[in-house]
Amino acid sequence: MHAHVILAAGQGTRMRSRLPKVLHPLLGKPMLAYAVETALALNPAKLVVVVGHGKEKVLEALEGYPVEVAFQKEQLGTAHALLQAEPFLKDFPGPTLVTQGDTPLLSPSTLGGLLERVGEGAGMALLTVELSDPTGYGRILRQGEEVLGSVEEKDATPEVRAIREVNAGAYAFDPFLFRALKEVRNENAAREYYLPDLIAIYRAHGKRVAAVRGAAEEALGVNTREELARVEGILLARLRAEWMRRGVRMILPESVYLEPSVELAPDVTLWPGVVLKGKTRIGEGAEVGPYALLEDTVLEPGARVLGHTVAQGAVIAGGADAGPFARLRPGAVLREGVHVGNFVEVKNSLLHPGVKAGHLAYLGDAEVGEGANIGAGVITANYDGKRKHRTWIGKGAFIGSNAVLVAPVRVGDGAMVGAGSVITQDVPEEALAVARGRQRNLEGYARRKREGE
Ligand code: UD1
Ligand code: CA
């Protein structure tokens, strides 16, 4: 049985952002959520998150997670941050894991390794990694197998800076932790209370400090935008590789962006530049064309989305297709065999099987019957300035180009609407509605005008 504390109170000055650092998203999820989920994977008896900078927003991001929250009013350093968790853990009898909210690639098994070392009698265990460029990290001082300390870059001499073994910012402690924390002083370049000073303090109390070596990638801390991008790139590469192993075809995979919440089936094809977000689900054999963006959208098996389409909250059935350049908004449902072409926008509308809307139309708050044909430029005028109204278009109806259907209005099954009509009254089944100025031809008028008669 162990406890876990995540430090997440810092501002993250080096990000140069109004957003607290731990809330910067990685694949659509705040960085802090990765640290929390890794911690939860080990079933801690207690999980305390230390928050401070941007507290309200950070608390929002923690909603729904079984965590307790400690508050660090002033950011006086990592040891001071950890001390704020004391009221929650004072009499906790087991070991405590400590990680940082800005280190999202740590794995549960690595943290488990730290706990084991404390279980085997070490007073404290910390994760170290070897980096080709150790800039910004605490450097590990060793004497053979023994770890003597970790020196922050600001305090390091050039010789110490040359050390490439660094502190990854993940630790396990025995219950001596909170007594040791009180001995930390801030006599250093940053005038901060440094958590790594616990190494020397534990040793001074005759306790063994164990260093566990990990893989460099896991230790990546995010302090700058560049590091954020690097970590996101690693997460993305892992995700893409996993989906390809499960049978997804990606053309130019490095150009595909997708979030962990997305679900894909075997034989899905993703063309270059595809962006898949939120609860998007793509069924077997479906295809997404170049530079399409799908968010919270379902593609049933065999559906096709062509290039540059943007779909949010839409459902596309097998044998239906949308795009190129289609815009599907929440509640757009395209049943089997529907075709929605370029510059067609569909919102909160059900298109029954076989509906065709090939170009330049707006269908909002509409239900379109099986096999109906929607001409270019057709618009459902669903908004009267105050309220939204519905449009019903019957089975097999034919709506001519540039017709405006002023809702609420109903076009019956098999009816036709003449091009350019403004329809304000229901159209009966099988009828033709024409609602536009009648054409007049004035013989010879153009010639007379030209010749200045
Ligand atoms: C820290 C370590 C460094 C290690 C590196 C690994 C210290 C002094 N240094 O440096 O040895 O190599 O992590 O990534 O611990 N925080 C608070 N309150 C504070 C200060 C920080 O909650 O007063 C939190 C931050 O939100 C962050 C974490 O602690 O999540 C680490 O702080 P940061 O300033 O990023 O430390 P580093 O300079 O990266
Ligand atoms: Ca950091």
Side-chain angles (χ1 to χ4, degrees), residues 42-92:
L42 291 169
N43 283 317
K46 262 175 177 297
L47 174 54
V48 181
V49 181
V50 182
V51 307
H53 187 82
K55 180 178 166 222
E56 280 72 32
K57 281 193 194 155
V58 177
L59 288 183
E60 261 172 51
L62 288 171
E63 247 167 58
Y65 288 112
V67 301
E68 291 178 280
V69 174
F71 183 51
Q72 184 193 26
K73 206 152 59 186
E74 267 186 291
Q75 280 69 66
L76 301 180
T78 43
H80 179 260
L82 181 52
L83 200 53
Q84 310 313 306
E86 186 181 19
F88 299 86
L89 298 173
K90 206 183 232 145
D91 302 315
F92 190 78

Side-chain angles (χ1 to χ4, degrees), residues 14 21 100 102-103 136-137 221-223 227:
R14 288 164 280 180
K21 178 167 75 178
Q100 306 184 153
D102 68 350
T103 311
Y137 291 84
V222 176
N223 299 312
E227 287 166 339

